[in-house]
Amino acid sequence: MESELLERIKLDGRIPSHVAVIMDGNGRWARERGLPRYAGHRRGMVAVRDVVEGAVEAGIEVLTLFAFSKENWQRPRPEIAALMALLKRYADSERQELKAQGVAVHVLGELDRLRAGPRAAVERIVGETAAGKTMRLNLMISYSGRDEIVRAVRELARRARRGELDPDEIDESLFGSVLYTAGLPDPDLLIRTSGELRISNFMLWQLAYTELYISSVYWPDFTREHLFAAISDYQRRERRFGRVTAG
Ligand code: FPP
């Protein structure tokens, strides 16, 4: 049965095309229960499953999840290993289901830094779900916003050096085309869980006009109903993109 909130947001109709999420609070969720941080990440994976299903139900076209930042490589080795093992487990266990739901999984970030096991699992899920038309799911892994911008600058500089590009031709649209998110609309809504008021080096270019929604819920407790609540809040916003209100 559809939830009342889901019915309400669908009735309104203004479903954000692209929703991005900073999944935060796994560690605190675990600490409050006297559990190791790993337990928080494991429950976080369950939340990922629920929110992905909810996003499909709501009719979101692109869902982008910040799963592992470039900075996260500085965490203790056992925690990194646990996160990578979870990523592999997620990719292996969800592949068929996501394919059946028509979800096309993409992984954006420094995939070449992953070990062979998780990388192969990720490549398999990306390859096997590629034809999905219902929703695109971006898993941001070993990703940071500044790094993405620096890479884009390098790519454009290389083109200019080869004589393929006149620097005066560089505009926002060309710049956007050399980011990981090339061809995608910018996020309409950014959700951050666990109450922190930071962007944390996430999608710095793409979030220019994105509506922000901060939830106090820790990520492992975040459900599709919380996602619907965020969309409902978004539907009450007036987006102006720097202009004045119409009318
Ligand atoms: C932030 O919590 C979360 C992460 C660093 C990792 C996110 C990973 C998952 C949700 C699980 C696996 C995901 C997939 C896609 C399989 P934190 O550890 O920074 O929490 P804290 O701020 O409370 O310490």
Side-chain angles (χ1 to χ4, degrees), residues 24-42:
D24 194 14
N26 295 351
R28 278 162 285 169
W29 182 92
R31 197 179 55 221
E32 285 184 8
R33 287 161 179 77
L35 297 169
R37 292 178 60 80
Y38 168 72
H41 296 315
R42 202 172 46 199

Side-chain angles (χ1 to χ4, degrees), residues 23-28 37 41 44-45 48 67 72 75 79 83 86-87 90 139 219:
M23 308 182 288
D24 194 14
N26 295 351
R28 278 162 285 169
R37 292 178 60 80
H41 296 315
M45 189 175 97
V48 167
N72 286 157
R75 291 193 177 195
E79 184 171 349
L83 280 166
L86 269 182
L87 179 65
Y90 178 81
L139 297 178
W219 177 254

Side-chain angles (χ1 to χ4, degrees), residues 22-31 37-38 40-49 52 65-69 72 75 79 82-91 94 137-141 192-194 196 198 218-220:
I22 300 179
M23 308 182 288
D24 194 14
N26 295 351
R28 278 162 285 169
W29 182 92
R31 197 179 55 221
R37 292 178 60 80
Y38 168 72
H41 296 315
R42 202 172 46 199
R43 276 295 291 262
M45 189 175 97
V46 178
V48 167
R49 205 175 282 149
V52 168
L65 302 179
F66 201 6
F68 192 85
S69 72
N72 286 157
R75 291 193 177 195
E79 184 171 349
L83 280 166
M84 289 299 145
L86 269 182
L87 179 65
K88 180 176 182 316
R89 174 128 61 96
Y90 178 81
E94 299 303 295
L137 171 63
N138 295 320
L139 297 178
M140 309 301 259
I141 292 170
R192 180 167 190 150
T193 60
S194 92
E196 304 291 351
R198 286 191 292 275
Y218 291 150
W219 177 254

Side-chain angles (χ1 to χ4, degrees), residues 212-239:
L212 308 182
Y213 180 88
I214 309 295
S215 166
S216 58
V217 174
Y218 291 150
W219 177 254
D221 287 330
F222 201 84
T223 65
R224 70 184 79 191
E225 286 298 317
H226 293 108
L227 170 69
F228 301 154
I231 296 173
S232 173
D233 190 87
Y234 166 86
Q235 290 176 336
R236 292 193 291 272
R237 312 260 180 110
E238 182 202 1
R239 303 188 72 192

Side-chain angles (χ1 to χ4, degrees), residues 24-208:
D24 194 14
N26 295 351
R28 278 162 285 169
W29 182 92
R31 197 179 55 221
E32 285 184 8
R33 287 161 179 77
L35 297 169
R37 292 178 60 80
Y38 168 72
H41 296 315
R42 202 172 46 199
R43 276 295 291 262
M45 189 175 97
V46 178
V48 167
R49 205 175 282 149
D50 195 56
V51 166
V52 168
E53 280 180 22
V56 169
E57 285 180 333
I60 289 168
E61 288 164 25
V62 186
L63 177 68
T64 298
L65 302 179
F66 201 6
F68 192 85
S69 72
K70 224 175 121 107
E71 292 75 20
N72 286 157
W73 290 113
Q74 289 156 34
R75 291 193 177 195
R77 260 165 179 257
E79 184 171 349
I80 295 173
L83 280 166
M84 289 299 145
L86 269 182
L87 179 65
K88 180 176 182 316
R89 174 128 61 96
Y90 178 81
D92 286 337
S93 65
E94 299 303 295
R95 200 170 62 239
Q96 291 310 326
E97 184 58 32
L98 290 173
K99 189 176 172 182
Q101 289 173 19
V103 175
V105 180
H106 290 247
V107 173
L108 311 184
E110 305 169 309
L111 200 51
D112 51 356
R113 279 186 77 173
L114 301 194
R115 281 171 175 265
R119 190 160 83 208
V122 158
E123 281 167 354
R124 236 178 354 255
I125 194 172
V126 169
E128 286 190 25
T129 62
K133 295 273 179 279
T134 313
M135 185 179 82
R136 171 168 165 153
L137 171 63
N138 295 320
L139 297 178
M140 309 301 259
I141 292 170
S142 191
Y143 168 87
S144 98
R146 284 189 175 179
D147 176 65
E148 178 183 35
I149 290 171
V150 169
R151 280 163 178 262
V153 169
R154 254 189 238 134
E155 169 58 23
L156 294 178
R158 272 190 220 108
R159 288 185 195 176
R161 188 174 57 192
R162 292 197 298 261
E164 297 163 10
L165 172 68
D166 174 353
D168 288 332
E169 284 170 27
I170 300 173
D171 58 11
E172 292 186 10
S173 148
L174 181 65
F175 195 78
S177 76
V178 287
L179 296 173
Y180 288 125
T181 50
L184 296 179
D186 288 339
D188 302 292
L189 174 64
L190 172 73
I191 299 171
R192 180 167 190 150
T193 60
S194 92
E196 304 291 351
L197 305 172
R198 286 191 292 275
I199 295 293
S200 299
N201 210 354
F202 188 50
M203 299 184 96
L204 295 179
W205 174 269
Q206 297 88 339
L207 294 175

